Amino acid sequence: MAQPLPLSYNWRTPVVFATVALVVLLGILIRGQAVGWWSASLLLLLCWAGYCLVVWLRTRAYLLTEGPVLTTRHWRSYERVEGPQVRAVKEIITPSGPSYRLQVERLGELRWLTVPTAQLRRGTATLFTWILSQAPDAALDKRSRRTLELLQTRGLVE
């Protein structure tokens, strides 16, 4: 049975450092009790919660290929796509690196599905291997073609 790709980064270390920094700063504010310490503490807590939310959302990245079916996660629900449903591939630039949007046709309706390959180990190579074998008729944009050529040159995709 196939396994989903692992995350390409360690999310625990940044969360631990952010939590330690939060505790230290809250301790300084509470001990000093300067004017406005309560609102400053609340602001720090909100910033920490926002940071942890962003890290948690990044850990939701998911990609699994099983034969003609590609499964990815969009926020809460899983999206399953079959190779013949893919019409186009578009590379998008994210802070983590390139990810891809697949144009999928279901019941005559076209919609875009994001595959977060930048956050997954071997994500780009796995996606292009799947596209070449299961959706060879999908149109690749200029960036995607360049990435595919680079992967083929490096021997990561045949």
Side-chain angles (χ1 to χ4, degrees):
M1 181 164 177
Q3 295 290 322
L5 296 180
L7 293 173
S8 64
Y9 64 95
N10 177 6
W11 60 270
R12 291 172 187 87
T13 304
V15 170
V16 167
F17 278 113
T19 304
V20 168
L22 173 73
V23 169
V24 168
L25 291 172
L26 285 177
I28 291 170
L29 285 172
I30 292 170
R31 184 175 172 132
Q33 300 230 347
V35 175
W37 72 273
W38 179 249
S39 57
S41 298
L42 184 61
L43 182 64
L44 277 173
L45 192 61
L46 287 174
C47 289
W48 174 82
Y51 177 75
C52 287
L53 177 66
V54 168
V55 170
W56 178 75
L57 287 174
R58 289 187 68 206
T59 64
R60 306 287 292 166
Y62 183 90
L63 178 63
L64 174 68
T65 57
E66 287 183 296
V69 178
L70 176 134
T71 306
T72 188
R73 181 184 296 149
H74 181 72
W75 302 110
R76 292 183 310 199
S77 62
Y78 291 92
E79 296 279 342
R80 294 173 54 93
V81 177
E82 294 187 17
Q85 295 175 329
V86 177
R87 298 291 175 250
V89 179
K90 180 180 180 185
E91 183 174 311
I92 56 174
I93 302 301
T94 66
S96 306
S99 285
Y100 296 88
R101 296 187 77 204
L102 305 179
Q103 186 179 40
V104 178
E105 182 179 358
R106 289 188 185 145
L107 304 171
E109 180 182 327
L110 291 175
R111 57 175 252 186
W112 289 95
L113 175 68
T114 302
V115 181
T117 57
Q119 298 170 358
L120 300 166
R121 201 172 288 147
R122 299 178 315 277
T124 304
T126 302
L127 176 65
F128 277 105
T129 300
W130 182 82
I131 288 171
L132 289 176
S133 65
Q134 303 300 326
D137 297 333
L140 303 177
D141 71 336
K142 185 178 180 180
R143 286 182 175 167
S144 298
R145 283 192 304 270
R146 187 174 27 194
T147 301
L148 177 59
E149 290 171 4
L150 181 65
L151 289 170
Q152 287 172 332
T153 302
R154 292 182 178 172
L156 299 172
V157 173
E158 295 179 10

